[in-house]
Amino acid sequence: MTLEYIHQLIRDVPDFPKPGIVFKDITPILEHGEAFGALTRHLAERVPTNVNKIVAIESRGFILGSAVAQHLRCGLVIVRKPGKLPRATLRESYDLEYGSDALEVHEDALRLGDRVVVMDDVLATGGTAAAAERLCERIGAQVLTSVFLMEIEALCGREKLKNPFVSLIRV
Ligand code: AMP
């Protein structure tokens, strides 16, 4: 199944969650078993073979990242909003397209020498993914690349990323 077919399943939702934001709703892909499987394979193809952990960003990154991690039989590390992880964490703050927030990771989830790929559904202003990169690197993990389903090019998120990245669909 082509990326063009997968792309047309994504729904634009104007003014969600705030006026002026066009939300990219990927749930129709997830509801379509064949499309979700094909997307998992397209994402996995962009992951370098020496990866040992996928670092998935809350919350839609969890869905895509866990599917890819299972497909590749590598580990999954979840990066969450503050206060959600039960044990000792590291935190990084970042700016969002709509508001500001922080991300946390369990401090023992990543180790020196891990080779990771950061994964999320949408690259918008880039603040979220850049914070995830910083969390990985503070622990000593090597960010091989980041992989996004969609990049909103006008928001220039690519300028905030330090490491290589791939976006399957650019709008
Ligand atoms: P940013 O930090 O601005 O790159 O925002 C990326 C994060 O916010 C990702 O986790 C996305 O899921 C979410 N996000 C930002 N903008 C949108 C959008 N227009 N549609 C869907 N998700 C978005």
Side-chain angles (χ1 to χ4, degrees):
M1 186 180 287
T2 64
L3 281 171
E4 288 70 29
Y5 184 85
I6 292 168
H7 185 178
Q8 56 85 34
L9 291 172
I10 298 171
R11 292 280 167 268
D12 279 358
V13 185
D15 300 320
F16 182 88
K18 293 211 308 205
I21 304 292
V22 180
F23 190 85
K24 303 292 183 185
D25 176 23
I26 67 161
T27 59
I29 302 173
L30 310 178
E31 291 158 13
H32 187 314
E34 206 185 322
F36 190 14
L39 173 58
T40 302
R41 290 188 292 278
H42 281 294
L43 290 166
E45 274 171 15
R46 313 310 289 266
V47 173
T49 52
N50 59 340
V51 68
N52 72 323
K53 288 172 181 163
I54 301 289
V55 173
I57 299 176
E58 184 164 0
S59 60
R60 289 169 298 280
F62 292 175
I63 300 168
L64 304 180
S66 56
V68 171
Q70 274 297 292
H71 186 77
L72 296 174
R73 296 284 181 259
C74 65
L76 178 75
V77 172
I78 57 174
V79 167
R80 299 209 65 178
K81 303 287 169 61
K84 302 278 190 186
L85 290 169
R87 293 184 292 104
T89 57
L90 294 178
R91 176 184 291 206
E92 279 284 338
S93 298
Y94 64 99
D95 295 323
L96 269 181
E97 187 183 358
Y98 37 88
S100 72
D101 214 332
L103 287 178
E104 294 182 346
V105 68
H106 274 143
E107 64 181 13
D108 62 358
L110 291 165
R111 288 167 207 285
L112 186 69
D114 273 338
R115 298 171 310 280
V116 307
V117 168
V118 173
M119 195 161 290
D120 205 355
D121 63 336
V122 173
L123 176 66
T125 65
T128 311
E133 282 186 331
R134 292 196 299 277
L135 279 176
C136 296
E137 290 178 344
R138 270 170 65 190
I139 300 175
Q142 181 191 358
V143 180
L144 300 174
T145 188
S146 297
V147 179
F148 306 94
L149 166 55
M150 176 173 274
E151 176 183 358
I152 304 172
E153 287 185 307
L155 297 176
C156 301
R158 58 178 54 226
E159 290 168 12
K160 289 217 184 78
L161 298 182
K162 259 184 62 193
N163 297 293
F165 76 97
V166 177
S167 46
L168 297 186
I169 297 167
R170 284 173 289 281
V171 293

